[in-house]
Amino acid sequence: MGSTAQLLIIGLLFHLVFILSVFDCYFTSPVVHGMNSFNVGSAEAKRLVLIVGDGLRADLLFEPNGFPAYPGAPKVVAPHLRSIVETRGAFGISHTRVPTESRPGHVAIIGGMYEDVSAVAKGWKTNPVDFDSVFNQSSHTYSFGSPDILPMFTRGAVPNRVKEWSYDEDAEDFTQDATNLDTWVLEQLKTLFRNATLDAQLNSELRADKVVIFLHLLGLDTTGHSYRPHSPEYMNNIRVVDSIVQQTETVISRFYGDDDTSFIFTADHGMSVIGNHGDGNPDSTRTPIIAWGKGVRGPLPDSVPSSHDAYSRPWGLGHLYRRDIEQADIAALMATLIGIDWPVNSVGVLPDVDPTRPGYIQPHQGDEMLAKAALVNAKVILENYRIQHDIKRTHKIHYTPFGPLEGHDNGDEPTRLRALRDIEELVNQKDWFSARQKSLNLIGTGLEGLRYLQTYERTLLRSIATFAYIGWAAYASLFVFESRLIAGASRASTSVTITTSFILVGFWAAFYLEQAPWTYYLYVVFPCYFWQQFFSKGYPWLTSSTLQSIRVGSVLSGTFLVVGSLMSMVVAYTHRSIWSIGFVVIGLVWPAVSWSSSDKQRVGAALRMRWGVSCAIAAIFPLLSVDQSENLMLIVFGGIALMTSAGYILRHHGPVSRSLKILFGVQVLLIVLAMIITTSSVRSLQAKTGLPLINQISGWIVFTVSSLLPFVSRVSHSGPTTKILMTFLGLGPCFVILAISVEGLFFVAYSITLLAWIDVEAALRPARPKQSNGYHFQADDLRIVLFFLFFVQIGFFGTGNVASISSFYLSPVYRLIPVFNPFYMAALLVFKIVAPYLILALAFATLTYRLHLPPFALFLNALMLTDGMTLTFFFNVTDTGSWLEIGQTISFFVVTSLLLLWSGGICAIGEYMMSSITAKEHTD
């Protein structure tokens, strides 16, 4: 049988590959090519100006007195935009989809499609695939703004059609006044028009029909991340954006000297109260949409029943009609206003298609134009469907078409073509209402057909994933029960190998004929290999008499314990209090119920007290709100707790060498320096004076030196405890510099609890010689492994909220990286999340050693069990429902997959870091 290293490597590859499977199964790219283009045939305006306030929340734009905490705050923070809503425009909420990031938001607004979530793994700044957009269909587009957004609409467009002006990436400094980014955009627009007075060709291009001007205003997003949305800085940035909108109107009017411009103002995403976005939080998915100018209707009285709900009633706009749309609908609206071809990948629905509700357009041709636009909308959707239907029909060995669109009730013509012909007939008969209503119905059916085709392989992929995850558990069990397996090959082994090879080749052949993605070939390899190994090596044992000695009652009770514990952890992902209940169970209930009198005697009263108290303290943290504000006092208190707890551990450890005392003294000094630097940095950033260069440099030095010291130190340790203490102190500055509130206190409680756990488990299990002939499974090992999995989850929940991708605070990162750099910022956040696992790794390696077990013996049991959670979350992933639900289900699956990988890799690090100590004690 293979080594443990082989198992870990295979497990790493398996889980990384099957993280991709959730995207192939639930979120496939909507982009296909080869569609015909369609347009309404007429235009309402000569040009269009699109202004996007990046990260702008709808409520904070519209609500009067939205910043009551600040004296002198204006009642109306955006008076110009509000006057447009009240006197000459249409407004509503544009509902976004997850991930609520800038790239997918702009793709929806300008391309009219929802990019698949897996594009985040390919980089938001570059296009995984080229897609069509409103900009590409315009005569010329002039775009101004962030270098993170503009280039993706230039790539793949007709050469020289989309022109961009962007500032340098270094300008995106989170410690500086971000309104400068927005005013820069306005100045570049003014410069463009000034240049046009001297450049005849530019002047001619600007005055052509079907021109789009795009202003991307990033300031709000940067300000919101730095100071949060309910801050005076965010309020001031809204006022700046409002002024820019007003000045843009003035500049456009002066240059063109006409009223043939349509304006649309919106946002790519909103922002949570803590200044983050990315998930499905309603504050991130609700953005404003305001349209005005040529071809756009004015304000309408509210409908009965009211178009407003509890969210918009405080805005003081209840007398006006609120027309909500989906974010992808904006592209259809823009294309209709300036009469261009609709983006061929668009799945948006023009708000004016529905004849029972007011839309946004006031057409010069009246309802006739709206009926024609509705027909075009249906054609665009069905053209997308047609291409995907043809691809499936051509490549699938057995293909079942979508009945509502491919039925043949009256001859050979598909239902979709008959429906389009019927709508065209209604248009010819000037039955505009019926044409729009039938177009709306056909669009709905077309979108259902697109969903049917995009989820066509879901059952297959779910089945493969089920066999793969269960197969992984079976394969891992071979390593757990290796000592009990019967050596030697058998006829059954040969038969199993032939059978699984035949199945694998059959799947590959089918995938080849169907031109399936390359990932499908990988997905099917793993279950075939796992089950081949399990039945080949486990079959002799499964058919032997050893199974008769297994007690059914013990197996059932063990199964109930494992399944119940794993499912409790699954539920705890959405109910954080269960983690606290878990601490109460293991710290108080378990000793009281399960320990015998001899167990209690071996553990001792002092250790029982330390175990119970440490669990009780650790139980507090999952109950705390995830919406934390920067609290310098708690950060400093966390640093003090780090040093105090280290002194407590040393006092109870006994004498240590002089070199260790010097090492610990240096580490304590680094924590003190981290506290001083962090205090100065926080005060400077709060005072908006920027991050002093000396603070940034010294912060990096302290952070880097302290983090590397546990790995490069050559000081000899007297035992595992001093090794753990060295790592604990080495990570201390991380939980000072990168802390926003209680992270340092959590790290102390978490580490103290792990040290107590080691002592408790060692005391409970009678001393025995080290297992020299391999690992021999004991039923109690399952409980220890469940504790380990519990601590793995707690290590994550203590520093962030897994219920939301965006709940990891960016503001502490500004103490080291003030200029926007997503890669390095993410790296620091990941380090902060992983740091507790280093302590867990050392604790688990120490526990394995104290129990006289071979390295990784207990972790093998964890590998066998943990994918019960992963598979549960895989089936819970959804691409329907609220955006919060969609974002959470993706987060849960990815996190459970990665947690095992992290813990596996870090356990390897723990064994490596402890190897010198354990080897030394063996020689002694």
Side-chain angles (χ1 to χ4, degrees):
M1 184 141 342
S3 65
T4 302
Q6 173 189 326
L7 177 68
L8 291 176
I9 292 172
I10 292 174
L12 173 67
L13 293 175
F14 165 61
H15 286 88
L16 286 177
V17 167
F18 269 79
I19 284 176
L20 298 177
S21 71
V22 76
F23 299 114
D24 279 334
C25 185
Y26 296 96
F27 306 97
T28 55
S29 175
V31 178
V32 291
H33 300 286
M35 288 85 73
N36 296 317
S37 299
F38 301 93
N39 65 66
V40 178
S42 61
E44 301 301 320
K46 288 185 176 181
R47 69 198 69 89
L48 181 137
V49 177
L50 171 65
I51 305 174
V52 175
D54 199 310
L56 176 59
R57 287 173 45 155
D59 57 342
L60 295 182
L61 173 68
F62 290 126
E63 186 172 345
N65 298 314
F67 298 87
Y70 307 106
K75 178 179 179 181
V76 178
V77 72
H80 181 68
L81 285 168
R82 188 175 182 89
S83 70
I84 292 172
V85 169
E86 293 181 328
T87 62
R88 54 193 176 101
F91 84 105
I93 295 174
S94 171
H95 296 276
T96 72
R97 293 191 181 184
V98 291
T100 47
E101 297 288 350
S102 292
R103 175 191 167 89
H106 283 87
V107 169
I109 293 169
I110 301 166
M113 69 173 203
Y114 298 107
E115 195 169 33
D116 62 300
V117 182
S118 62
V120 70
K122 305 169 187 176
W124 288 129
K125 295 186 182 181
T126 58
N127 300 352
V129 291
D130 291 333
F131 54 88
D132 196 13
S133 71
V134 170
F135 294 175
N136 186 50
Q137 296 295 344
S138 67
S139 62
H140 287 90
T141 292
Y142 303 88
S143 55
F144 308 86
S146 169
D148 300 332
I149 298 300
L150 304 189
M152 65 179 168
F153 296 103
T154 305
R155 174 184 168 178
V158 176
N160 298 319
R161 179 168 293 181
V162 182
K163 300 177 182 179
E164 61 180 78
W165 289 262
S166 59
Y167 36 76
D168 190 79
E169 290 184 355
D170 292 340
E172 299 176 20
D173 190 333
F174 287 94
T175 67
Q176 302 299 320
D177 186 358
T179 60
N180 293 330
L181 302 177
D182 298 340
T183 54
W184 182 93
V185 169
L186 178 62
E187 290 305 314
Q188 296 304 307
L189 177 66
K190 293 179 179 178
T191 301
L192 175 72
F193 288 132
R194 284 196 299 268
N195 292 340
T197 62
L198 305 174
D199 186 332
Q201 181 178 352
L202 176 60
N203 186 65
S204 175
E205 291 174 353
L206 280 168
R207 295 185 184 279
D209 292 347
K210 303 179 181 180
V211 167
V212 175
I213 295 172
F214 171 46
L215 307 184
H216 174 237
L217 307 179
L218 182 64
L220 284 163
D221 184 74
T222 305
T223 301
H225 284 312
S226 299
Y227 303 105
R228 304 191 178 191
H230 290 282
S231 64
E233 292 80 9
Y234 192 85
M235 174 191 70
N236 180 63
N237 209 144
I238 295 177
R239 301 180 68 181
V240 170
V241 167
D242 186 64
S243 175
I244 289 174
V245 173
Q246 184 177 25
Q247 293 181 65
T248 299
E249 275 198 275
T250 301
V251 170
I252 294 288
S253 177
R254 287 176 180 173
F255 180 80
Y256 288 106
D258 60 30
D259 295 322
D260 290 328
T261 306
S262 299
F263 293 86
I264 290 181
F265 177 85
T266 188
D268 52 348
H269 57 76
M271 189 167 288
S272 68
V273 294
I274 61 174
N276 291 334
H277 56 84
D279 63 346
N281 187 305
D283 288 332
S284 297
T285 62
R286 293 183 292 210
T287 63
I289 171 73
I290 305 174
W292 71 100
K294 186 68 172 181
V296 180
R297 68 162 174 84
L300 297 175
D302 193 21
S303 60
V304 179
S306 176
S307 61
H308 293 268
D309 53 20
Y311 178 67
S312 63
R313 288 192 190 102
W315 298 353
L317 299 172
H319 59 292
L320 300 176
Y321 184 71
R322 169 185 140 187
R323 180 62 163 94
D324 289 6
I325 61 173
E326 298 295 325
Q327 194 171 50
D329 300 345
I330 299 175
L333 176 60
M334 292 192 293
T336 304
L337 284 171
I338 56 176
I340 60 175
D341 286 346
W342 289 32
V344 294
N345 304 116
S346 173
V347 294
V349 181
L350 182 69
D352 300 79
V353 168
D354 188 349
T356 63
R357 294 193 297 165
Y360 278 74
I361 298 175
Q362 185 175 334
H364 67 278
Q365 294 181 356
D367 289 345
E368 177 182 0
M369 178 269 176
L370 297 181
K372 291 180 178 178
L375 176 59
V376 168
N377 202 155
K379 287 181 177 180
V380 171
I381 298 294
L382 290 183
E383 186 69 3
N384 266 282
Y385 167 84
R386 180 186 68 81
I387 294 296
Q388 297 197 37
H389 163 74
D390 289 346
I391 292 173
K392 288 285 190 297
R393 184 179 58 183
T394 302
H395 296 148
K396 288 298 175 185
I397 296 174
H398 175 71
Y399 171 58
T400 303
F402 183 63
L405 292 178
E406 297 301 323
H408 297 83
D409 296 335
N410 299 313
D412 296 332
E413 188 178 42
T415 305
R416 54 187 166 87
L417 296 182
R418 284 201 314 275
L420 284 175
R421 195 176 63 250
D422 291 343
I423 296 172
E424 290 173 344
E425 183 63 27
L426 289 171
V427 172
N428 292 333
Q429 294 174 1
K430 299 185 179 181
D431 189 350
W432 318 127
F433 184 94
S434 299
R436 291 166 66 188
Q437 186 63 56
K438 288 206 170 187
S439 295
L440 181 64
N441 295 337
L442 184 57
I443 289 169
T445 306
L447 292 174
E448 291 176 6
L450 282 173
R451 176 170 175 77
Y452 171 81
L453 295 175
Q454 290 169 359
T455 61
Y456 193 79
E457 284 88 9
R458 183 168 295 183
T459 300
L460 171 66
L461 291 174
R462 279 178 167 177
S463 301
I464 293 174
T466 300
F467 280 100
Y469 281 113
I470 297 176
W472 164 255
Y475 177 61
S477 71
L478 296 178
F479 292 78
V480 174
F481 300 103
E482 183 175 6
S483 62
R484 302 187 184 185
L485 298 180
I486 301 173
S490 63
R491 291 183 180 178
S493 176
T494 304
S495 300
V496 168
T497 302
I498 294 173
T499 302
T500 52
S501 298
F502 179 78
I503 293 172
L504 178 62
V505 171
F507 270 107
W508 279 3
F511 292 156
Y512 177 78
L513 293 174
E514 295 183 352
Q515 299 183 14
W518 64 270
T519 50
Y520 284 36
Y521 294 84
L522 282 179
Y523 296 153
V524 77
V525 166
F526 289 100
C528 288
Y529 175 76
F530 293 153
W531 288 110
Q532 183 273 332
Q533 290 289 303
F534 177 75
F535 283 112
S536 294
K537 296 180 171 62
Y539 182 80
W541 179 74
L542 292 173
T543 57
S544 68
S545 58
T546 55
L547 284 180
Q548 300 176 3
S549 61
I550 295 177
R551 291 179 293 179
V552 176
S554 299
V555 172
L556 291 178
S557 61
T559 302
F560 177 79
L561 171 66
V562 170
V563 173
S565 299
L566 292 178
M567 291 304 101
S568 296
M569 294 183 198
V570 168
V571 176
Y573 272 60
T574 52
H575 299 80
R576 289 169 57 87
S577 59
I578 292 179
W579 300 117
S580 298
I581 295 173
F583 271 118
V584 173
V585 170
I586 67 175
L588 301 177
V589 177
W590 173 53
V593 174
S594 298
W595 291 7
S596 64
S597 56
S598 59
D599 290 336
K600 295 177 181 178
Q601 185 176 1
R602 285 197 300 270
V603 173
L607 180 54
R608 288 206 312 271
M609 176 65 70
R610 179 158 61 94
W611 171 242
V613 171
S614 62
C615 286
I617 294 174
I620 296 173
F621 292 94
L623 298 177
L624 299 178
S625 171
V626 297
D627 297 332
Q628 297 287 336
S629 299
E630 191 172 54
N631 191 318
L632 184 58
M633 183 181 71
L634 288 177
I635 295 172
V636 173
F637 189 48
I640 295 172
L642 284 163
M643 296 182 290
T644 304
S645 58
Y648 171 82
I649 294 171
L650 272 179
R651 188 167 62 251
H652 288 76
H653 177 268
V656 295
S657 65
R658 183 173 180 273
S659 57
L660 274 176
K661 289 181 179 178
I662 294 174
L663 173 63
F664 292 151
V666 170
Q667 291 184 306
V668 169
L669 176 62
L670 289 173
I671 294 176
V672 173
L673 289 175
M675 295 165 61
I676 295 172
I677 295 168
T678 301
T679 300
S680 174
S681 298
V682 168
R683 288 175 176 170
S684 295
L685 292 173
Q686 288 179 347
K688 306 178 187 64
T689 58
L691 179 66
L693 182 60
I694 184 64
N695 287 31
Q696 185 179 9
I697 295 174
S698 57
W700 271 112
I701 293 174
V702 170
F703 178 82
T704 304
V705 171
S706 64
S707 299
L708 290 177
L709 198 55
F711 298 96
V712 300
S713 172
R714 299 302 180 189
V715 176
S716 178
H717 291 271
S718 57
T721 302
T722 57
K723 187 80 170 184
I724 295 175
L725 181 59
M726 178 185 69
T727 306
F728 173 75
L729 289 173
L731 296 174
C734 167
F735 287 95
V736 175
I737 296 175
L738 296 181
I740 192 171
S741 180
V742 298
E743 293 97 314
L745 296 173
F746 162 77
F747 183 61
V748 171
Y750 184 72
S751 302
I752 295 296
T753 305
L754 288 175
L755 290 174
W757 181 45
I758 296 171
D759 293 336
V760 167
E761 295 290 0
L764 286 175
R765 184 163 294 190
R768 57 179 178 176
K770 182 176 176 63
Q771 299 177 8
S772 58
N773 59 339
Y775 168 62
H776 297 276
F777 172 78
Q778 296 185 53
D780 196 48
D781 292 345
L782 287 178
R783 179 194 54 75
I784 297 176
V785 167
L786 288 174
F787 278 27
F788 168 72
L789 293 177
F790 175 78
F791 283 116
V792 167
Q793 311 293 331
I794 289 297
F796 184 88
F797 273 86
T799 55
N801 174 20
V802 74
S804 170
I805 297 174
S806 71
S807 291
F808 303 108
Y809 299 90
L810 282 175
S811 52
V813 179
Y814 305 154
R815 302 166 196 163
L816 295 177
I817 306 177
V819 178
F820 180 65
N821 190 313
F823 178 81
Y824 291 111
M825 287 179 167
L828 287 175
L829 289 177
V830 169
F831 181 82
K832 177 183 172 184
I833 295 167
V834 172
Y837 289 101
L838 291 174
I839 300 298
L840 175 60
L842 293 173
F844 205 52
T846 302
L847 179 59
T848 302
Y849 167 74
R850 293 277 298 273
L851 297 182
H852 304 289
L853 298 174
F856 295 103
L858 293 173
F859 186 67
L860 293 177
N861 288 270
L863 294 178
M864 184 176 62
L865 298 181
T866 190
D867 275 343
M869 295 176 62
T870 308
L871 186 59
T872 301
F873 283 126
F874 180 86
F875 275 92
N876 285 343
V877 171
T878 180
D879 58 352
T880 59
S882 73
W883 308 133
L884 178 61
E885 294 169 343
I886 296 172
Q888 281 182 341
T889 57
I890 299 171
S891 304
F892 294 166
F893 171 74
V894 173
V895 166
T896 50
S897 297
L898 291 178
L899 281 178
L900 180 63
L901 299 181
W902 287 348
S903 56
I906 293 174
C907 277
I909 295 174
E911 292 287 351
Y912 172 76
M913 294 179 67
M914 284 296 184
S915 59
S916 59
I917 296 176
T918 56
K920 177 182 177 182
E921 295 195 9
H922 283 317
T923 57
D924 293 342

